[in-house]
Amino acid sequence: METKISVIGGGSWATALIKIFTANIDQVCWYMRNEQAIEHIKATKHNPNYLSDVHLNISKLHLTNDINEAVAFSDYVVFSIPSAFLSDELEKLTEPLSNKNIFSAIKGIEPKSGLIVGEYFNKIHHVPYAQIGVIAGPCHAEEVALERLSYLTIACLDEEKAHFMAEAMKRHYVKTKISDDVVGIEYAAMLKNIYALAAGIAHGLGYGDNFQSVLMSNAIREMRRYIKHIYKIKRNINNSAYLGDLLVTAYSLFSRNRMFGTMIGKGYTVKSTMAEMNMVAEGYYATKSAYLINKNQEKPSRTPILDAVYKVLYEGKRANVAFAELTGELD
């Protein structure tokens, strides 16, 4: 494709996106903070820190540690950094975002504002909603690296922009479809991380497959209630962008949110879990924001799973006690 795309972020998913884009796009700009990593990539064609086995086509890559240079490079800018770090990164910006097409591969809530990422770009950086899109799973970066068959949903109110990004991401191992449910898919991507934490906590506590199946059955219904309350449009919650993404995040061994929850269930503190993993589990930050968003509604949705995870992570309730109580709320 004769165009340019910029990717913001240096982690696993950003690296997987670079692998895809450089196969389809003529010029790709890649921003990451770590200058040593940039020099390593230029010398070895591999990211030293994430998905280090992936060969990178540097002939199409323009690498930079200047976020303004990356934003200025292209009309399409894909953000793939942890939501907790988003506002700090964007504080460096002098280039405007309001004239760019922004696609978010971030599955969480910007914690300082309490906004989903699309709302954050609209309200804080004045990007029109028609220029904001979402790249949704179910899709783990590790499986993209291995070229295992994966499916992505590209959501944008502007169908032409959604089609452009869908074509830019098609590979023999990546199938894409489009949607206009930007808000619903963003909330689903945020909530599924919380439910994956719950699945991990249950696993760490010793609950078996029978309970996990009930937990996930309740989780998709809880997700449907929550999203419908926030943004009511016709959607099929069983589609892959909702249910599929929930299942892969809750069950996969690649899921850092499930891993985080498992450690909590085994008795680790939040602080020790973060130190041990050395990776960001979006669900931890999303839990607080999602809980507060719901409680601030005039008529909050019924969210027993979200409430149980919140009590464990933020109120210090023992996981075994919280989940023993949760078992009585499920059906």
Side-chain angles (χ1 to χ4, degrees), residues 13 17 21 103-104 133-137 151-159 161-170 174-182 185 241:
W13 192 217
L17 291 171
F21 287 140
F103 277 81
S104 169
V134 177
I135 299 170
Y151 291 70
L152 292 173
T153 298
I154 314 300
C156 186
L157 292 177
D158 186 320
E159 188 174 329
K161 292 181 175 66
H163 274 297
F164 166 81
M165 189 56 64
E167 288 298 316
M169 301 197 73
K170 275 185 181 176
V174 179
K175 296 183 181 294
T176 61
K177 60 180 285 188
I178 67 168
S179 169
D180 62 357
D181 186 18
V182 180
I185 287 174

Side-chain angles (χ1 to χ4, degrees), residues 91-327:
E91 283 179 3
K92 305 171 186 175
L93 267 184
T94 55
E95 285 284 330
L97 290 175
S98 57
N99 61 342
K100 301 294 180 179
N101 299 306
I102 305 297
F103 277 81
S104 169
I106 303 169
K107 298 183 177 181
I109 280 186
E110 197 288 305
K112 293 180 182 177
S113 63
L115 299 171
I116 57 173
V117 175
E119 290 177 331
Y120 174 81
F121 279 116
N122 175 259
K123 296 185 185 304
I124 307 301
H125 292 277
H126 313 296
V127 181
Y129 277 118
Q131 293 167 212
I132 297 171
V134 177
I135 299 170
C139 191
H140 280 305
E142 292 82 358
E143 292 206 347
V144 171
L146 295 169
E147 298 193 1
R148 291 179 177 172
L149 184 60
S150 302
Y151 291 70
L152 292 173
T153 298
I154 314 300
C156 186
L157 292 177
D158 186 320
E159 188 174 329
E160 185 177 339
K161 292 181 175 66
H163 274 297
F164 166 81
M165 189 56 64
E167 288 298 316
M169 301 197 73
K170 275 185 181 176
R171 301 297 300 146
H172 65 274
Y173 56 90
V174 179
K175 296 183 181 294
T176 61
K177 60 180 285 188
I178 67 168
S179 169
D180 62 357
D181 186 18
V182 180
V183 173
I185 287 174
E186 271 216 88
Y187 271 103
M190 176 266 292
L191 289 167
K192 57 96 178 182
N193 286 332
I194 301 169
Y195 300 136
L197 284 176
I201 292 171
H203 178 70
L205 289 170
Y207 287 89
D209 291 343
N210 292 339
F211 177 76
Q212 291 283 11
S213 66
V214 172
L215 182 65
M216 289 303 102
S217 175
N218 279 263
I220 192 62
R221 283 176 279 158
E222 183 171 308
M223 178 188 286
R224 181 179 181 273
R225 290 193 300 271
Y226 190 108
I227 299 173
K228 185 178 180 180
H229 200 67
I230 298 290
Y231 184 60
K232 186 177 180 180
I233 66 167
K234 187 177 180 180
R235 65 173 61 85
N236 185 350
I237 203 71
N238 295 320
N239 282 347
S240 59
Y242 313 97
L243 177 58
D245 208 6
L246 167 65
L247 293 177
V248 75
T249 310
Y251 288 131
S252 175
L253 296 178
F254 290 129
S255 172
R256 65 190 67 176
N257 288 285
R258 180 186 167 96
M259 186 189 308
F260 189 103
T262 298
M263 294 178 72
I264 295 294
K266 288 183 175 180
Y268 285 74
T269 65
V270 168
K271 186 176 181 180
S272 62
T273 299
M274 287 182 166
E276 185 88 9
M277 285 183 60
N278 196 31
M279 296 177 79
V280 175
E282 291 278 14
Y284 170 73
Y285 301 101
T287 297
K288 184 177 181 179
S289 296
Y291 178 86
L292 293 177
I293 288 170
N294 188 47
K295 294 306 176 188
N296 287 332
Q297 298 291 317
E298 186 175 340
K299 292 182 179 180
S301 298
R302 180 175 171 270
T303 55
I305 303 172
L306 168 60
D307 295 350
V309 175
Y310 178 83
K311 289 171 185 175
V312 172
L313 297 183
Y314 289 95
E315 293 184 350
K317 192 161 192 172
R318 290 171 59 190
N320 61 333
V321 175
F323 271 62
E325 294 173 356
L326 176 62
T327 61

Side-chain angles (χ1 to χ4, degrees), residues 8-120:
I8 310 298
S12 297
W13 192 217
T15 305
L17 291 171
I18 291 295
K19 173 183 169 71
I20 295 170
F21 287 140
T22 52
N24 293 333
I25 302 293
D26 291 330
Q27 298 182 64
V28 182
C29 184
W30 189 6
Y31 163 79
M32 60 175 68
R33 292 180 300 171
N34 190 330
E35 192 168 0
Q36 288 182 322
I38 289 174
E39 294 306 315
H40 185 94
I41 292 167
K42 288 178 178 177
T44 70
K45 304 178 184 178
H46 295 272
N47 186 341
N49 301 315
Y50 299 94
L51 303 185
S52 55
D53 289 338
V54 172
H55 179 271
L56 300 169
N57 182 358
I58 62 171
S59 67
K60 291 186 175 183
L61 265 183
H62 177 76
L63 290 143
T64 180
N65 66 346
D66 181 348
I67 193 170
N68 287 290
E69 183 179 358
V71 169
F73 184 87
S74 171
D75 290 334
Y76 281 82
V77 184
V78 178
F79 283 83
S80 182
I81 57 179
S83 60
F85 306 144
L86 180 61
S87 63
D88 289 341
E89 282 296 329
L90 295 187
E91 283 179 3
K92 305 171 186 175
L93 267 184
T94 55
E95 285 284 330
L97 290 175
S98 57
N99 61 342
K100 301 294 180 179
N101 299 306
I102 305 297
F103 277 81
S104 169
I106 303 169
K107 298 183 177 181
I109 280 186
E110 197 288 305
K112 293 180 182 177
S113 63
L115 299 171
I116 57 173
V117 175
E119 290 177 331
Y120 174 81

